[in-house]
Amino acid sequence: DLWAYMGRLFYEGKISNRQWGEAGRIITNDHDCKTAVRAQYDVMGLEYGYDYDVSTFTFVAGRGELKTTEAFGHRAFETSMFEHSLTAPSNKDVNPLDKTPVLLRACAECADTHKKVYYRRLTPIPEDNDLLYCITQTRGNCGGKNVWNQDFTLHSSYEDAVSGDNPWKCPNNAFNYGAPFDGECSPTGARVRNQWTVLHWSSPPQYNVGYYVNKPQDAVIEEVEPVTEVALRNSADEFVSEDVGLDVRVKGRARLDEDGKIYVTGSGHNVWHNNDNFQFYHKDATGDFDVTVNVASFDNIVNSKAKAGIMFRSTTDHDSGYVSALLSGGMGLRFQKRSSKSNWSHNVGTFEPNPHRENAWLRLVKKMTTIDMYWSEDGSTWTSGGSTTMLFPDDTFQLGLFVNSHDAGWQAEATFDNFVVNSYNFPSTAPSISAAPTAWDPEIYVGETQENVGYQPVSATQTRITNDAGSGIDGDVDSFYYHAFQRLSSTAFEATMHVDYFYGADGAKGGIMIRDGTGVSAANTFIGIYPADNTGVITQSRLTEGEETVRHKSLYVWQNKAFLKLSYDGAGTVVMQYKTVETDEWEDIENSTMNITFGDTLNIGVAVTGGGWNNYVDFRYSNFEITDL
């Protein structure tokens, strides 16, 4: 209307040519035109987006105006495309596929030929390959698992994609993997540039893009409506999806499969200290419960401290009290809690840290203020993970499943199966359990220590231990900080680490210790770094409880940096070795192979002492691993 009025004034001679041109530039070229169009759409009740056929397609990823919800995770997408699509193969593992699932990409501002492109999958997806992530977030051919004319073809219509007719052609018969999805190809083979996107890029050639698998929108896998200020739960007994915390940059989602599986995606920095950030699939609960679940898979892991499991939580505040049984991204199973609001989290027990676990059965049983944790290999025979007490105000709390990626900008996905929530009624038969291993807290203070040690993971591989850490590992009585794990003494293993940096006074020591219990005079062997006077690597032992510690060997290493290894054969023989960054082979150390008698269990872990009261230490190490032999 304004433009027409200015035109009338110009033709009536009331404004100059220059004034009309200036008005035109202001009206049409400073983005106000788009704003006006959007305002008019609002008046008309219209929305930006793609009005796709929900009887044929399900949105699985996107950005800009075509993004309707958060992206599917690895397993939810794979199941949707290869098991529940309208053209799902009869056997998703047989190559070539007898039927070919279809993925549609819609692009609002693309060339007409590229506004809708259909991807026809010809081959199975390898178990470890996240196809949706590869297609939408990376450039390349997914490590040779997404090759044009071998693994997929492109088409201009859904009918052609289903039948395989009229596949697209590429210039010089070469797909450009630097242009994801379309490869600069076209129906005729002419090169068409800048029709691609990478979803996490800030300024890709195309911004408003959506991806849709040919599965009816509400069929088989259904998204749980997330809790927001607008959309609240319909009833207290209904499970809802909610991002908890102040730093969840990639929103999580929970999706339910008709076969009982629950796919939960979540990001967030951590569930630890006094600040949690994660995705929570939960409901209100009051009273006592017995909850079990199988964490069937845990995918898209970028940090070993990622978490997925069962949680009982006072509220959805970021610093609320909670108890959880969880599978970590690479550090085994954990039983964790925060006893009250704004308090600090801690481990109640740690189990099976090595080798890396990809799945586990978990169980939490609440009996008044007592909460028991169990874990299992098969969901039938349960191993006790310990017990703790927890007071929920008015005996009400949130009960559910949670996922945290340990990275606020990254989304992990857990697939939960056999999620069962039963009320617990007294009296009740205890679950069938095995006695070992018992609950175990890796944070151990041996002897008289001030219990103010700072144990701080500083990256995915490096850990830092600081402050006073006891008066010494020497003589017939020890005083030190021990971050250790319990193992059966009949199992063979080796423990390795790299010492990155060590500051400490005379008497300070840090390294790997195998120990017969946590008593102050327990038998042990130790290989570590002695930083005073740049002494370097040392080995020592106390082969019988109560005896004096014997120093065996000291070896200079540059800047007190070295790889350390302690091997145990499961029958009492311990071997200690080291190497430097300049050498490839482990070197034997004189007088550092010995025999020691253990009880049914032993402890293996990282031992650090300041060598005297109030002696400050700064011990940094990386890649500590315990590997079964």
Side-chain angles (χ1 to χ4, degrees):
D1 292 343
L2 178 59
W3 176 244
Y5 177 66
M6 296 299 293
R8 183 179 128 189
L9 293 179
F10 171 74
Y11 287 113
E12 291 177 353
K14 296 179 180 179
I15 62 173
S16 68
N17 183 59
R18 178 180 177 181
Q19 289 173 316
W20 191 22
E22 181 74 12
R25 284 191 292 274
I26 293 172
I27 293 169
T28 63
N29 294 335
D30 69 348
H31 305 296
D32 283 346
C33 189
K34 282 187 177 181
T35 303
V37 169
R38 181 178 287 277
Q40 183 60 28
Y41 281 174
D42 291 341
V43 171
M44 299 171 67
L46 300 176
E47 297 180 0
Y48 268 80
Y50 173 41
D51 188 16
Y52 59 94
D53 182 359
V54 296
S55 67
T56 305
F57 291 102
T58 295
F59 174 89
V60 292
R63 68 179 300 163
E65 303 290 358
L66 272 64
K67 180 180 179 180
T68 59
T69 186
E70 299 304 317
F72 275 43
H74 174 192
R75 303 293 176 181
F77 172 75
E78 179 184 295
T79 301
S80 295
M81 187 164 184
F82 284 81
E83 296 181 23
H84 302 318
S85 83
L86 296 175
T87 53
S90 58
N91 188 331
K92 66 178 183 178
D93 298 319
V94 174
N95 189 14
L97 302 174
D98 59 352
K99 290 185 179 180
T100 52
V102 175
L103 182 68
L104 162 65
R105 190 201 71 176
C107 176
E109 286 84 28
C110 281
D112 287 345
T113 53
H114 288 62
K115 286 189 180 297
K116 290 190 287 186
V117 182
Y118 297 85
Y119 169 105
R120 179 178 187 247
R121 183 72 190 189
L122 306 175
T123 60
I125 299 179
E127 176 68 20
D128 60 347
N129 186 259
D130 187 346
L131 180 63
L132 184 63
Y133 177 81
C134 287
I135 288 176
T136 62
Q137 301 280 9
T138 69
R139 304 168 80 179
N141 63 9
C142 303
K145 306 299 178 15
N146 192 46
V147 178
W148 175 65
N149 269 351
Q150 173 181 309
D151 297 305
F152 72 93
T153 54
L154 300 177
H155 303 263
S156 296
S157 72
Y158 179 59
E159 291 74 21
D160 282 351
V162 172
S163 65
D165 293 338
N166 304 312
W168 279 21
K169 303 172 184 177
C170 296
N172 302 317
N173 202 36
F175 190 93
N176 180 5
Y177 292 99
F181 199 85
D182 68 84
E184 297 188 339
C185 305
S186 68
T188 63
R191 187 178 302 278
V192 184
R193 303 181 189 274
N194 297 322
Q195 306 299 298
W196 55 273
T197 192
V198 175
L199 292 187
H200 69 274
W201 283 19
S202 59
S203 300
Q206 298 297 329
Y207 189 82
N208 296 307
V209 176
Y211 298 85
Y212 313 81
V213 70
N214 66 329
K215 175 191 80 70
Q217 179 86 16
D218 296 324
V220 188
I221 295 179
E222 181 181 359
E223 182 174 302
V224 178
E225 181 72 18
V227 171
T228 66
E229 293 182 359
V230 177
L232 298 177
R233 70 186 73 182
N234 295 322
S235 70
D237 194 49
E238 178 184 4
F239 278 95
V240 295
S241 167
E242 182 173 5
D243 283 318
V244 174
L246 308 175
D247 192 14
V248 181
R249 300 172 202 170
V250 181
K251 296 183 182 303
R253 286 293 185 271
R255 296 180 171 92
L256 310 181
D257 196 312
E258 286 182 355
D259 67 4
K261 291 186 178 67
I262 305 172
Y263 305 99
V264 180
T265 55
S267 66
H269 175 66
N270 206 349
V271 180
W272 195 241
H273 296 320
N274 60 354
N275 183 22
D276 302 336
N277 302 274
F278 63 99
Q279 164 63 201
F280 199 16
Y281 173 70
H282 66 101
K283 72 169 187 173
D284 292 343
T286 300
D288 299 320
F289 289 89
D290 184 348
V291 180
T292 61
V293 75
N294 176 25
V295 187
S297 66
F298 196 12
D299 299 291
N300 295 15
I301 305 299
V302 294
N303 193 294
S304 62
K305 295 181 178 64
K307 301 173 174 70
I310 307 170
M311 179 180 286
F312 298 164
R313 190 177 184 89
S314 292
T315 70
T316 54
D317 293 344
H318 71 96
D319 57 352
S320 170
Y322 73 88
V323 177
S324 66
L326 64 93
L327 170 67
S328 69
M331 302 179 71
L333 309 176
R334 298 291 175 100
F335 184 20
Q336 296 181 340
K337 69 178 288 189
R338 179 184 298 121
S339 59
S340 59
K341 184 176 176 63
S342 299
N343 210 328
W344 281 57
S345 301
H346 68 274
N347 285 309
V348 181
T350 302
F351 321 95
E352 302 287 294
N354 288 294
H356 170 60
R357 295 184 66 97
E358 298 180 349
N359 50 70
W361 287 78
L362 301 172
R363 186 174 194 166
L364 277 183
V365 181
K366 178 183 177 295
K367 298 174 287 187
M368 301 179 70
T369 60
T370 298
I371 298 179
D372 300 322
M373 181 267 190
Y374 305 91
W375 59 274
S376 173
E377 299 290 350
D378 56 11
S380 178
T381 300
W382 295 91
T383 297
S384 172
S387 182
T388 189
T389 58
M390 185 73 185
L391 178 63
F392 293 113
D394 299 322
D395 204 27
T396 62
F397 54 99
Q398 300 300 308
L399 175 158
L401 306 172
F402 77 103
V403 172
N404 162 266
S405 66
H406 206 279
D407 186 324
W410 183 267
Q411 188 181 74
E413 180 196 39
T415 302
F416 298 101
D417 199 4
N418 293 284
F419 180 42
V420 178
V421 179
N422 289 323
S423 295
Y424 183 90
N425 299 308
F426 290 92
S428 176
T429 302
S432 172
I433 64 171
S434 58
T438 56
W440 185 256
D441 187 345
E443 314 297 326
I444 305 167
Y445 294 87
V446 176
E448 295 185 14
T449 62
Q450 295 186 11
E451 299 198 10
N452 63 345
V453 173
Y455 177 83
Q456 178 185 9
V458 296
S459 72
T461 58
Q462 189 184 58
T463 302
R464 183 184 185 191
I465 297 175
T466 58
N467 297 336
D468 170 42
S471 60
I473 306 174
D474 227 332
D476 60 356
V477 174
D478 300 328
S479 169
F480 66 100
Y481 172 77
Y482 198 21
H483 188 86
F485 303 96
Q486 190 177 62
R487 310 277 293 198
L488 294 174
S489 58
S490 58
T491 59
F493 60 85
E494 64 181 23
T496 56
M497 71 185 310
H498 182 262
V499 178
D500 305 321
Y501 173 83
F502 196 4
Y503 169 84
D506 188 21
K509 300 173 186 176
I512 305 172
M513 177 182 285
I514 185 171
R515 191 175 183 92
D516 186 27
T518 58
V520 295
S521 299
N524 70 86
T525 63
F526 172 83
I527 179 171
I529 295 293
Y530 190 91
D533 299 323
N534 288 318
T535 301
V537 175
I538 64 168
T539 61
Q540 63 182 54
S541 69
R542 180 190 298 128
L543 298 183
T544 303
E545 182 178 7
E547 288 187 349
E548 292 284 325
T549 296
V550 178
R551 176 84 63 84
H552 300 292
K553 194 70 177 178
S554 62
L555 299 159
Y556 171 77
V557 291
W558 186 65
Q559 292 187 339
N560 289 317
K561 297 180 179 179
F563 292 92
L564 308 176
K565 179 164 76 170
L566 188 154
S567 304
Y568 175 70
D569 68 352
T573 300
V574 177
V575 178
M576 293 179 282
Q577 298 171 295
Y578 85 107
K579 65 179 180 179
T580 64
V581 293
E582 292 84 14
T583 59
D584 294 327
E585 300 295 328
W586 290 101
E587 297 185 30
D588 294 329
I589 304 173
E590 184 180 355
N591 298 323
S592 295
T593 297
M594 56 204 66
N595 293 307
I596 185 169
T597 301
F598 296 103
D600 293 336
T601 62
L602 55 79
N603 304 325
I604 177 69
V606 179
V608 180
T609 183
W613 293 113
N614 299 315
N615 282 354
Y616 178 82
V617 297
D618 186 348
F619 181 67
R620 305 177 195 181
Y621 64 93
S622 56
N623 296 304
F624 176 73
E625 294 183 353
I626 304 172
T627 305
D628 289 327
L629 298 177

